[in-house]
Amino acid sequence: MKCSDVHPLLDLLSDGALENKDTALVLDHLKLCNECQSEWNDLEQLRSSFRDAKDKSQLPAGLMERISQKLKDEERNEHMQFFEKYKRFFEQYARPLSIVAIAAAIALIGFLFLPRIHQINTQQTSIQIASADTLVDDLVSEGTLEPVIDRNELAKRVGYDLKHVQLPKWQMNQSGVYRSQTTMPMARFDFVRKSQAGDQHLSCYQAPQGVIQAKVANLENLEGKRVLFGSHGKFQFALWSQNGRDYLFVTALSKPQLEEIVRGA
């Protein structure tokens, strides 16, 4: 078992709620992993302090069971409103408790939920914003695109699922991972379309929603899409979000031609 598999099972192990097979797997892991063993020791010490505080403070009947059950329910559902709910819960029951019991309860809550909150905050702060102007400039920059042909492999490289965009009149020219020192890796697709005037080119960046931003652009409602249209140098661009993804279309074609492309996408 991995550490990420063991950590959520420690509380169940302490309660004796694990099946024999899972208990054996967790105990085998604790023998080999000092980090998880340390977390297990801390949890057992906290629970021991909690039990001692309960005996000394004459807690109301069933309070500890209700706290334990509430903790498990909130962890399972991952409701971020947990602390607000428990604030009201402890306001109702805190008066009969001693300071020692309250401190032990807060310590147990912090042990279970602060690592999760820290992980969420870390994920949020790790997202780097990408400027539409920079992405347009990098279309002609060498070394910013790492070619990847297979779509599944491309999704692995960028770290998120790729959504399909309807471009029936265009042919894929190349795809790959856009890399920059100032933003996260993201998928880029380059398309080409034949016309009487010659080949027409279109590039599409795809990233998690909220990553790509445009400083100077005009917001328009186009076929139900809220699209930001702008220009940078000789290029026109369109930026919008749908299905949890940001889409940035970039082309040297005119704005009306770009609007036509976005309508059909």
Side-chain angles (χ1 to χ4, degrees):
M1 299 185 75
K2 299 179 181 178
C3 294
S4 58
D5 299 324
V6 170
H7 184 76
L9 299 178
L10 293 179
D11 190 52
L12 296 176
L13 177 63
S14 181
D15 289 338
L18 280 181
E19 297 182 358
N20 293 336
K21 180 181 178 180
D22 291 333
T23 298
L25 291 174
V26 172
L27 293 177
D28 288 343
H29 179 85
L30 292 179
K31 294 177 182 178
L32 302 175
C33 179
N34 293 332
E35 182 178 352
C36 290
Q37 180 64 52
S38 177
E39 292 185 9
W40 169 250
N41 292 339
D42 291 342
L43 177 60
E44 286 293 276
Q45 184 175 358
L46 282 171
R47 286 184 174 274
S48 178
S49 299
F50 211 174
R51 287 191 292 268
D52 292 343
K54 175 183 176 182
D55 295 337
K56 294 178 181 179
S57 306
Q58 295 182 351
L59 296 175
L63 176 60
M64 290 303 299
E65 290 74 16
R66 291 195 295 273
I67 292 177
S68 178
Q69 184 61 44
K70 190 68 175 178
L71 286 172
K72 293 175 183 177
D73 292 341
E74 293 295 339
E75 183 178 20
R76 187 180 303 113
N77 296 324
E78 297 184 354
H79 288 166
M80 292 308 298
Q81 299 89 349
F82 169 80
F83 286 105
E84 183 61 27
K85 292 180 180 179
Y86 253 79
K87 178 182 177 181
R88 296 194 298 268
F89 181 85
F90 277 107
E91 286 175 350
Q92 180 179 355
Y93 292 98
R95 291 184 178 180
L97 304 179
S98 70
I99 296 177
V100 176
I102 296 174
I106 294 174
L108 181 59
I109 294 170
F111 176 83
L112 294 174
F113 286 91
L114 285 180
R116 182 183 301 276
I117 294 174
H118 173 73
Q119 180 181 10
I120 294 173
N121 289 337
T122 301
Q123 293 173 347
Q124 292 176 341
T125 56
S126 65
I127 297 178
Q128 297 172 299
I129 302 302
S131 166
D133 290 344
T134 300
L135 297 177
V136 173
D137 285 335
D138 285 346
L139 281 177
V140 295
S141 299
E142 296 291 337
T144 58
L145 185 67
E146 176 186 322
V148 180
I149 299 176
D150 183 73
R151 190 181 186 90
N152 293 330
E153 179 62 25
L154 179 56
K156 292 180 182 179
R157 297 280 187 91
V158 297
Y160 53 85
D161 294 335
L162 300 176
K163 307 294 184 180
H164 290 277
V165 177
Q166 299 294 330
L167 294 171
K169 297 181 181 181
W170 295 82
Q171 291 183 344
M172 177 83 70
N173 186 36
Q174 67 173 346
S175 62
V177 181
Y178 166 78
R179 296 190 182 278
S180 169
Q181 294 181 351
T182 60
T183 188
M184 63 180 293
M186 66 180 70
R188 194 182 98 189
F189 304 91
D190 295 335
F191 300 89
V192 64
R193 180 173 66 178
K194 301 293 183 180
S195 71
Q196 293 180 350
D199 290 347
Q200 299 175 341
H201 297 275
L202 173 72
S203 292
C204 172
Y205 290 93
Q206 186 178 141
Q209 185 169 342
V211 169
I212 305 177
Q213 296 187 3
K215 295 181 179 179
V216 180
N218 297 318
L219 179 62
E220 299 182 20
N221 195 323
L222 196 66
E223 299 295 330
K225 302 184 182 78
R226 293 174 57 83
V227 185
L228 289 169
F229 286 97
S231 62
H232 185 74
K234 66 176 183 179
F235 294 102
Q236 299 285 334
F237 67 80
L239 171 64
W240 77 96
S241 300
Q242 68 181 40
N243 300 325
R245 296 288 178 265
D246 285 343
Y247 299 92
L248 178 68
F249 279 14
V250 185
T251 182
L253 299 174
S254 66
K255 181 175 181 289
Q257 289 174 303
L258 179 57
E259 290 177 349
E260 178 187 358
I261 296 170
V262 174
R263 283 192 184 96

